[in-house]
Amino acid sequence: MVTRSKAHEHQCHISLKPTDPTEPKSMKSALQNLHWQQAMRNELHALHQNKTWSLVPQGGFSRPNSSLMVPLNALKQGVQVSHFGGGLFLSQHKYAKEILAKASMTDCKPIGTPLAQKHHLQLEGGPLVDATNYRSIVGALQYLTLTRPDLTHAVNLGTLDYGIRLLSHSSLTLYGFSYADWAGCPDTRHSTTGYCIYLGANCISWASKKQVMVSQSSAEAEYRTMASAIAELTWLTYLLRDLGLSTHSSPVLFCDNTSALHMTIADLFTKAVSKDVFHRFRSKLGVLPPPPSNLRGTDKEIF
């Protein structure tokens, strides 16, 4: 019996065809192209007609370097909201079907097993595909993760009706989980940052992004991931405070890498602190200075 693993069918290689040489390479060149100008006008008209986005003045509750805020009730990128006894259910059934139609996969049958977890895409070595169409489909899948954070491994399971629940009766405790895939990219050896943030029982934020720097150890990759998750937790804490929702406890971040956790403690001693604070930290750790060499030894000689 030959399984897919033995036949190496799970190893996928994708090569992109060279794009059209006349295709604009920047926003400036695209604005000078008549065909692209018309395409942008058509896209903007469709956004207004479908009420996909709602523009608000710059400022307000926005992330750093952001001048556009899209409230949940105004974000209609295929998000369908239905009420049930315990809260809201968000799904993108219609939007997912549109993506399948765009990829000519409407009649494809789902299979009963998820995508392989060690499925690595490489830049070269496989059949050529249309680069423009491939990037368009991948970009559309990014919007589908608004309600499907599990999309990576559930994309071929026939789960069009799946979505995410937001429970109304839940605590305001803010906590998160972080994880890093060390050197997961076979081409660049970059690691992948992954985290999810919960407000009580509701998952309100998640991310999976390739790290910019190459990490020399799994602990370093996990440490970078923890830094990204903590930044998200900090921003959400201030956002909740601005909305008048104060939590009675500090956010908690869970990580399963012991070395990375030790690095967070050691990082305290790499920052400039006052002498009194440093002495207090050292006393808590039980680290004591050696006795003075003479009876007239002073604190200045010791420290």
Side-chain angles (χ1 to χ4, degrees):
M1 178 178 179
V2 180
T3 63
R4 286 186 296 175
S5 177
K6 293 181 179 179
H8 302 287
E9 293 182 2
H10 63 283
Q11 308 213 351
C12 178
H13 305 276
I14 293 179
S15 298
L16 301 180
K17 289 181 179 180
T19 57
D20 188 349
T22 62
E23 182 176 335
K25 298 298 187 295
S26 64
M27 175 63 72
K28 183 177 180 180
S29 59
L31 292 175
Q32 298 174 352
N33 189 302
L34 296 179
H35 296 287
W36 276 79
Q37 291 179 13
Q38 184 60 41
M40 287 186 283
R41 282 193 291 266
N42 295 338
E43 183 71 17
L44 187 61
H45 175 73
L47 292 175
H48 285 294
Q49 185 177 11
N50 298 330
K51 299 181 180 180
T52 303
W53 306 101
S54 293
L55 297 177
V56 298
Q58 183 174 357
F61 304 121
S62 58
R63 296 174 182 265
N65 301 325
S66 175
S67 59
L68 175 65
M69 177 184 176
V70 185
L72 182 61
N73 59 357
L75 180 60
K76 299 182 179 179
Q77 188 64 47
V79 178
Q80 298 168 281
V81 182
S82 59
H83 296 264
F84 67 97
L88 300 175
F89 179 76
L90 309 181
S91 65
Q92 293 173 277
H93 174 81
K94 180 176 180 294
Y95 182 65
K97 294 183 65 175
E98 292 176 354
I99 296 178
L100 290 176
K102 184 176 183 179
S104 302
M105 298 179 63
T106 304
D107 298 329
C108 292
K109 296 182 180 180
I111 62 176
T113 56
L115 193 66
Q117 292 188 359
K118 297 299 181 180
H119 189 80
H120 297 298
L121 299 179
Q122 297 183 357
L123 295 177
E124 299 179 356
L128 296 178
V129 298
D130 184 2
T132 303
N133 188 43
Y134 177 80
R135 291 167 181 160
S136 176
I137 295 175
V138 171
L141 287 173
Q142 292 180 355
Y143 289 104
L144 191 57
T145 59
L146 290 172
T147 60
R148 296 299 304 275
D150 64 327
L151 187 64
T152 302
H153 303 296
V155 68
N156 55 353
L157 292 179
T159 57
L160 285 176
D161 297 326
Y162 282 39
I164 190 170
R165 295 191 307 171
L166 297 178
L167 303 179
S168 57
H169 300 288
S170 179
S171 66
L172 295 179
T173 304
L174 195 62
Y175 59 95
F177 301 88
S178 66
Y179 181 79
D181 180 20
W182 178 44
C185 179
D187 296 304
T188 63
R189 311 310 299 174
H190 284 200
S191 305
T192 302
T193 290
Y195 65 79
C196 58
I197 309 298
Y198 281 82
L199 182 62
N202 299 317
C203 186
I204 60 174
S205 178
W206 54 87
S208 178
K209 184 179 181 180
K210 185 183 295 185
Q211 296 180 1
V212 179
M213 305 293 293
V214 175
S215 299
Q216 298 182 1
S217 66
S218 59
E220 183 180 350
E222 293 279 1
Y223 188 77
R224 295 180 187 276
T225 300
M226 292 177 65
S228 300
I230 289 174
E232 184 72 8
L233 282 169
T234 303
W235 180 79
L236 289 172
T237 301
Y238 283 107
L239 176 60
L240 293 174
R241 184 181 303 174
D242 292 340
L243 294 175
L245 302 174
S246 58
T247 59
H248 301 288
S249 59
S250 301
V252 178
L253 178 64
F254 296 92
C255 176
D256 63 351
N257 190 288
T258 306
S259 299
L261 294 175
H262 288 170
M263 289 173 64
T264 61
I265 301 175
D267 189 53
L268 292 173
F269 298 96
T270 65
K271 302 296 187 294
V273 295
S274 64
K275 181 179 179 181
D276 294 337
V277 174
F278 178 77
H279 288 175
R280 188 161 57 250
F281 281 155
R282 191 166 64 175
S283 176
K284 291 290 185 181
L285 294 175
V287 179
L288 301 176
S293 58
N294 58 72
L295 297 178
R296 295 183 179 181
T298 61
D299 180 74
K300 293 183 178 180
E301 291 181 358
I302 298 176
F303 300 102

